Amino acid sequence: MSTTIAPLKNKIADVLIRLCVGAMNSGVSTGAKTLRGEGNVLESNSPVDAALIGSVRGASRAEYDAVIATAQRGFEEWRTWPAPKRGEVVRQFGEELRIHKAELGKLVSYEMGKSYQEGLGEVQEMIDICDFAVGLARQLHGLTMHSERPDHRMYEQWHPLGVIGIISAFNFPVAVWSWNATLAWVSGNSCVWKPSEKTPLCSIACQRIAAEVFKRNHVPEGVSCIINGGREVGEWMSHDERVPLVSATGSTRMGKAVGAAVGQRLGRSLLELGGNNAIIISDKADLDMSLIGCVFGAVGTAGQRCTSTRRLIIHEKVYDAFTQKLKRAYGQLLIGDPLDEKNHMGPLIDTQAVALYQSALKAAVEQGGGVLVEGGALRGDGYASGCYVKPAVVEARPDMPIVQEETFAPILYVMRYSGDVNAAIAIQNNVKQGLSSAIMTLDLREAERFLGAAGSDCGIANVNIGTSGAEIGGAFGGEKETGGGRESGSDAWKAYMRRQTNTINYGASLPLAQGIRFDL
């Protein structure tokens, strides 16, 4: 199976040649081998300039089954490797990412459309999670418990699950896979990655880098696999009993389908779904500092992060002052080619995303919203791909139906609150999503109230920073329709392992628990 590259029609021919052409350039790969690819052709067109970057042929059902079988065999050997030895392989993968950071960051930027700085940041996330996973490889710790029976010892330990299925989204085409894969690898699992059909070349580049590291360390074939393809690949994976855990990142609609399919077979799902994230601007906030977090949260990645700031809940005492600052800041934003580092924002992922953006703006006005910063599609020189839009700010009410939804675009809804911080928290929590949240305040009582049990109902709650830009050291994920999963730091590694409780009797008799007598 070969990947067709169109290097003369795009801006990153040198990067494509180094990262995506060679032995590991297939859209279907088990690491050491590539498959022919008998599925549909996926064309990758850059949202930056509409140029065809390359095309990949996905997997047929037979090829999918072959990949899963290879991943199973790879797991059977890989799980026997000492965890620190597995960690050493991941350490070397992190070192290769350091070498290729600029190139991979440029590919992410060009294929997905985020700014080059954000592309570099995404690769840095991969490097950081590798470092985290290396340390984790010498932990993976359980607990010891005192037994009620004499001469007995109790403890728990953790074992790998098997083949881990990873379904990733276009907006973070490499980082989210690495969050899952590195932790799964050091835990002793093999991974099968179904990347977004909108960013297939990023997956091929990552697989090629990983495959070279794995080859020189004699890692068994199948520990790292990719299967490019459409929706059907995710459906196969979700229904496959050979895949004990499916980690899926994407829309709430997609997550509900994955969760239902995996749950029906009593498998495990790790879901990272939609966000409708809010920042509360207290009347006790540092408004200048708050502005940075709000603007980056709203326009970073063109509003296509699951943690993007969608709502600003502003105290009426500072509403006018802060919205004026917001309007001035939006007036300074530069939109254009994300590879040009002077630009703050690049394109949306495709023209369908533009249509959804326009539909949301129309709905907001029809529902009574007032335009504070006018949006709209951008046309003309430099915007020929049809994927560029202007970030918009709309004055809104919390109960407007469009405000209750997640629109994956740079639309920011601003609304007032009065009274104490409890009123703002109630507005923030009154949506179906529960991923990221923040409050801007210099009042300790307000901050602690926001972080308390009666405060934010989100998986992430920040004080004096925005909703976007999580570090890998903390567990990442949210509640309600965000799915409830946790990835990345803290003890997220436990999702990829099974817990086992052990009791050892080192005495000369066999007493029963709870004092039960059973004499023979």
Side-chain angles (χ1 to χ4, degrees), residues 279-282 285-300 309 312 314 318-333 344 372-373 393 412 414 438-441 464-468:
I279 298 178
I280 296 170
I281 308 294
S282 165
D286 180 328
L287 299 186
D288 290 331
M289 183 179 71
S290 300
L291 186 66
I292 298 171
C294 293
V295 176
F296 175 73
V299 307
T309 305
L312 288 188
I314 309 170
V318 296
Y319 183 88
D320 291 339
F322 192 74
T323 53
Q324 286 301 313
K325 289 178 179 290
L326 200 62
K327 288 173 67 174
R328 286 194 294 271
Y330 268 62
Q332 299 172 27
L333 294 175
H344 298 98
L372 193 66
V373 176
V393 181
L412 181 63
V414 297
I439 186 171
M440 300 295 185
T441 182
N464 292 327
I465 64 170
T467 61
S468 190

Side-chain angles (χ1 to χ4, degrees), residues 262-319:
V262 176
Q264 189 174 33
R265 60 179 174 86
L266 297 181
R268 301 187 192 183
S269 57
L270 197 167
L271 303 176
E272 298 288 358
L273 311 176
N276 192 354
N277 314 294
I279 298 178
I280 296 170
I281 308 294
S282 165
D283 59 327
K284 303 174 185 67
D286 180 328
L287 299 186
D288 290 331
M289 183 179 71
S290 300
L291 186 66
I292 298 171
C294 293
V295 176
F296 175 73
V299 307
T301 322
Q304 296 173 115
R305 293 188 178 207
C306 51
T307 56
S308 290
T309 305
R310 313 266 174 222
R311 299 174 293 146
L312 288 188
I313 304 164
I314 309 170
H315 196 282
E316 61 182 2
K317 291 182 179 179
V318 296
Y319 183 88

Side-chain angles (χ1 to χ4, degrees), residues 18 49 96 100 102 130 135 155 194 206 223 289 321 358 362 367 388 414 426 475 494 519:
R18 285 192 289 272
D49 54 15
E96 288 297 316
H100 295 290
C130 285
Y155 68 97
K194 189 274 177 203
C206 291
V223 171
M289 183 179 71
Q358 293 174 315
K362 180 181 178 182
Q367 293 169 21
Y388 292 86
V414 297
K494 293 180 178 178
D519 298 326

Side-chain angles (χ1 to χ4, degrees), residues 80-124:
T80 67
W81 285 37
K85 186 177 179 182
R86 298 192 296 254
E88 168 58 18
V89 176
V90 172
R91 185 195 68 78
Q92 293 179 33
F93 177 55
E95 290 303 308
E96 288 297 316
L97 290 173
R98 286 177 167 87
I99 294 170
H100 295 290
K101 179 178 176 178
E103 294 173 326
L104 187 54
K106 188 173 288 187
L107 175 59
V108 167
S109 176
Y110 188 63
E111 188 172 32
M112 184 268 148
K114 64 177 58 177
S115 73
Y116 180 50
Q117 282 298 311
E118 290 185 75
L120 292 174
E122 184 166 349
V123 181
Q124 186 61 49

